[in-house]
Amino acid sequence: MSVSTAAIDPSVCAPMPVLGKDVTVPLVTGGEVTYAALDYAASAPALQRVWDDVAAYAPYYGSVHRGAGYLSQLSTDLFENSRRTVAEFLGCREDDQVVFTRSTTDSLNLLAAAIPAGCQVFVFETEHHASLLPWRDAQVTYLNAPRTPAQAVETLERALADRDPYGPALVCVTGASNVTGELWPVKELAAAAHAHGARIVLDAAQLAPHHPVDIAELDVDWVAFSGHKLYAPFGSGVLAGRSDWLLAAEPYLAGGGASRKVARRADGGVDVDWHTTAARHEAGSPNVIGVYSIASACKALTEAGFDNLVAREQELVSRVREGLAEVPEVQVLSLFGDDAPQVGVISFVVRGWNSSHFAAALSAEYGIGVRDGLFCAHPLVRTLLGSDPQDPGECGAPEAEPGERSLNAIRVSFGAGTPDEHIERFLRAVSELVSDGAQWKYRTEDGRCVPDRGTAAQV
């Protein structure tokens, strides 16, 4: 079985420098190899530019907003300038607010805590759990997985038209699936939502690192994303968009920074005057370095030119899909079909293989890091695999033994920092594993498939 090794056109765009590009890892078969990080959808490696910017700022680190010292004032300026940089990156409208959070999950939970009483929420079952689960205090309608972008719009329009009583409503939708990488018709869904008096929040965790996101152009009400998927370090996120629901809600966290004035009452209680800016939902000492790293990543991606980044990534997507298509045992998962536009996220299963076993062999024998499981999108993956919603299987913790069919999938994901060699090594490894089998024995340990260090190679 052969796989074409045609190189990506170098004239499109060179990979952006990222941390870890020269890290080597040991192979169970002997020797070491440069690690191929192909799990960008979980966490992308930090851009070298971002790390350099953070390192340059670190000696000047200071607490923001309430310090009189030079470093505090410098850090405050940097923090608020970062807010403006993110607003520009997202094409925010004049009255939009940028609230800094810990992650996409945190951002959507913040919004869930701010929705008006009686708000109805509409979510497709295809969403990541960060979008699927935060709406515990709302009346939630879960929409079935559409099979075309047009069907997604039609499904939403019917659901919104049928809602009763007619009150506040919110639609939550992804921009790009974290399972299939497919782009969703965000602008059309936003138009449908607004036509029926609803608002819409865009989960851009997988979209923002790969594709321009413009709040005004898409006409969405809010956007949420994470720094660790946007080539910045862990621990920072963004919720950006309309301010009215956020200002009408109680602060997400109660504490210093969210309050403007606190006074004792004669009856022994306290009166609190909360901020009417983004600070209302940013109580406590903020993650200044995390915020600055997001702003740095936004600048780096903008300066690199999204047209170039998108063009190169589409070359990589085409290369991976063509290579996997040459292996008959591989089934690529898709909602909208093979021709649907997508970012660099592709999930698949291999006939005759447990997905965890396959992913473990890619790592142990080839130095390739991918992800296996249900990708915190259990209903979607089960739908794509044609399994019953009650079938067993957990995110990243398969129950089948190596060699047995599992109810999980394998996900390869890549982006602005991915070298051509990583893609070619991945495709070669898939072909060799399918045709020749693994060279090592594996066992399940703590829910993970791992090499059995006590056995000899099967060569």
Side-chain angles (χ1 to χ4, degrees), residues 171-245:
V171 177
C172 182
V173 68
T174 188
S177 171
N178 77 301
V179 176
T180 67
E182 292 165 313
L183 297 176
W184 277 62
V186 176
K187 191 170 184 176
E188 292 80 3
L189 290 167
H194 293 153
H196 291 276
R199 297 189 178 189
I200 185 168
V201 56
L202 171 64
D203 176 352
Q206 299 298 337
L207 184 63
H210 303 275
H211 205 277
V213 175
D214 189 303
I215 287 180
E217 195 273 332
L218 292 172
D219 197 23
V220 294
D221 297 282
W222 293 277
V223 165
F225 71 88
S226 298
H228 72 98
K229 299 184 192 297
L230 195 79
Y231 309 102
F234 286 100
S236 55
V238 168
L239 176 67
R242 302 198 183 279
S243 62
D244 53 350
W245 284 9

Side-chain angles (χ1 to χ4, degrees), residues 19 35 39-47 50-51 54 100-106 206 225-238 286-295 297 371 411:
L19 292 181
Y35 184 65
D39 194 15
Y40 276 47
S43 290
L47 291 172
V50 171
W51 197 255
V54 168
F100 290 117
T101 66
R102 294 175 296 177
S103 61
T104 307
T105 301
D106 195 36
Q206 299 298 337
F225 71 88
S226 298
H228 72 98
K229 299 184 192 297
L230 195 79
Y231 309 102
F234 286 100
S236 55
V238 168
N287 180 1
V288 182
I289 286 181
V291 166
Y292 181 46
S293 70
I294 286 183
R371 184 155 294 236
R411 183 181 69 192

Side-chain angles (χ1 to χ4, degrees), residues 120 122 139 158-170 193 196-198:
Q120 298 180 65
F122 296 83
Q139 177 185 336
R158 285 196 303 270
L160 291 172
D162 291 343
R163 66 189 173 103
D164 185 38
Y166 195 86
L170 177 68
H196 291 276

Side-chain angles (χ1 to χ4, degrees), residues 367-379:
I368 298 170
V370 297
R371 184 155 294 236
D372 66 278
L374 298 174
F375 317 125
C376 294
H378 296 189

Side-chain angles (χ1 to χ4, degrees), residues 274-315:
W274 301 108
H275 272 295
T276 56
T277 64
R280 184 184 189 89
H281 296 290
E282 294 177 345
S285 296
N287 180 1
V288 182
I289 286 181
V291 166
Y292 181 46
S293 70
I294 286 183
S296 174
C298 290
K299 287 182 179 179
L301 292 171
T302 300
E303 291 169 6
F306 257 118
D307 288 346
N308 293 332
L309 296 174
V310 170
R312 181 172 189 275
E313 185 171 311
Q314 289 310 301
E315 290 270 10

Side-chain angles (χ1 to χ4, degrees), residues 8-25:
I8 307 301
D9 182 358
S11 65
V12 173
C13 181
M16 297 182 73
V18 295
L19 292 181
K21 61 185 178 63
D22 297 322
V23 168
T24 60
V25 294

Side-chain angles (χ1 to χ4, degrees), residues 147 182 317-318 321 325 331-342:
R147 287 299 182 170
E182 292 165 313
V317 168
S318 297
R321 291 190 67 93
Q331 175 193 351
V332 173
L333 305 183
S334 174
L335 268 177
F336 300 153
D338 292 343
D339 296 329
Q342 68 178 114

